[in-house]
Amino acid sequence: MDHSAHHTSPMHDHATHEGHHGHSDHAVPDGGHGGASWAMAAKATLHCLTGCAIGEILGMVIGTALLWGNVPTMVLAITLAFVFGYSFTLFAVRRAGLDLKTAIKVALAADTVSIAVMELVDNAIIALTPGAMDAHLSDGLFWSALLGGFAVAFLITTPVNKWMIGRGKGHAVVHAYH
């Protein structure tokens, strides 16, 4: 996706954008994408993690309540992680005035890699933690594996988001619309 046009349009004035609450930490010199700050990457990752965590926990709770096995429960949890992860961005860009089709494209471009990396790391940790897949919602092992997985996923996904944002990809796509 070529982002050069939006940097010169009135819609994306960096001087105005830098003053926008919470966005002064990712000012980019010379109007290009340049490098992204660690703070901006961490904020983008936390945004992604929030949606993923809501979806994943909800999926685990539903799958466990319905007495599903590990595989269908994980599939539901991962699916809901993507749905909730995308929905956070989708609602934000819709509120900014984008039509539904464009908003969906922006959400997919902004969040797919971040959510995928996060889910891969988080679910690998849960799957590799002895006993975690068979633990119940009332077990500390279940929650420690899940929360530990989220923490490690955050640490691994943040540099990925920093790299992507620095190249005008991922979360950077959203910034043209707020």
Side-chain angles (χ1 to χ4, degrees):
M1 175 177 256
D2 179 19
H3 300 299
S4 59
H6 80 261
H7 287 291
T8 57
S9 72
M11 183 176 162
H12 193 80
D13 175 19
H14 269 285
T16 303
H17 188 69
E18 289 171 18
H20 183 68
H21 176 69
H23 292 87
S24 59
D25 62 339
H26 66 272
V28 182
D30 304 319
H33 290 292
S37 72
W38 283 105
M40 179 175 44
K43 286 179 187 178
T45 306
L46 187 57
H47 177 267
C48 177
L49 177 64
T50 303
C52 288
I54 291 169
E56 193 161 327
I57 291 169
L58 184 60
M60 296 286 190
V61 169
I62 292 169
T64 300
L66 296 175
L67 303 175
W68 289 0
N70 291 337
V71 173
T73 298
M74 282 189 95
V75 168
L76 177 62
I78 292 167
T79 300
L80 290 177
F82 273 91
V83 168
F84 278 88
Y86 287 138
S87 70
F88 278 30
T89 299
L90 186 64
F91 290 131
V93 295
R94 286 283 291 151
R95 198 177 13 202
L98 266 64
D99 62 277
L100 183 60
K101 184 178 178 182
T102 304
I104 289 170
K105 288 179 182 178
V106 169
L108 291 173
D111 295 332
T112 298
V113 172
S114 182
I115 295 170
V117 170
M118 193 159 294
E119 285 303 300
L120 178 68
V121 171
D122 176 52
N123 284 285
I125 288 171
I126 293 169
L128 295 173
T129 301
M133 291 297 294
D134 297 319
H136 297 280
L137 296 175
S138 59
D139 294 337
L141 177 60
F142 170 82
W143 292 103
S144 63
L146 184 64
L147 297 176
F150 287 150
V152 173
F154 178 84
L155 293 174
I156 291 175
T157 307
T158 299
V160 171
N161 282 334
K162 184 179 185 310
W163 181 83
M164 289 179 55
I165 294 166
R167 282 147 189 79
K169 308 286 184 206
H171 187 73
V173 175
V174 175
H175 288 277
Y177 302 104
H178 63 84

